[in-house]
Amino acid sequence: MKIDISGLRDGEPWPGYGETLDVPQDEGQALCRKGFAEAVGLTLEAAREVRIVEPEPGVMTTRRGPGRPRKSAA
């Protein structure tokens, strides 16, 4: 694990930073994509399926819209 996660997973506490956890491949890929974990002990074929996409520097990845209008100074 690359971070500490609070709470429980299947009734057990999440492993701490630097510890390992055996999970199904799809869950492991999701944890890696989110940056919560990194893959260890994978076969070459499984490692090829894990794709971590880094955003380009300075590029906004989430656009929520223009937001509320600013209040005019009165």
Side-chain angles (χ1 to χ4, degrees), residues 15-48:
Y17 176 83
E19 296 178 344
T20 60
L21 173 68
D22 288 328
V23 295
Q25 184 173 351
D26 59 332
E27 185 178 353
Q29 289 173 342
L31 289 168
C32 290
R33 277 193 303 272
K34 293 177 182 177
F36 296 167
E38 62 184 35
V40 294
L42 292 177
T43 63
L44 182 58
E45 292 79 25
R48 286 183 180 145

Side-chain angles (χ1 to χ4, degrees), residues 12-13 16-17 22 29-30 35 40 44 49 52 60 63 68 72:
E12 298 291 325
Y17 176 83
D22 288 328
Q29 289 173 342
V40 294
L44 182 58
E49 292 181 23
I52 300 173
M60 182 186 292
R63 181 159 176 94
R68 287 191 265 171
S72 60

Side-chain angles (χ1 to χ4, degrees), residues 44-61:
L44 182 58
E45 292 79 25
R48 286 183 180 145
E49 292 181 23
V50 176
R51 294 186 181 106
I52 300 173
V53 178
E54 297 290 333
E56 294 179 28
V59 175
M60 182 186 292
T61 57

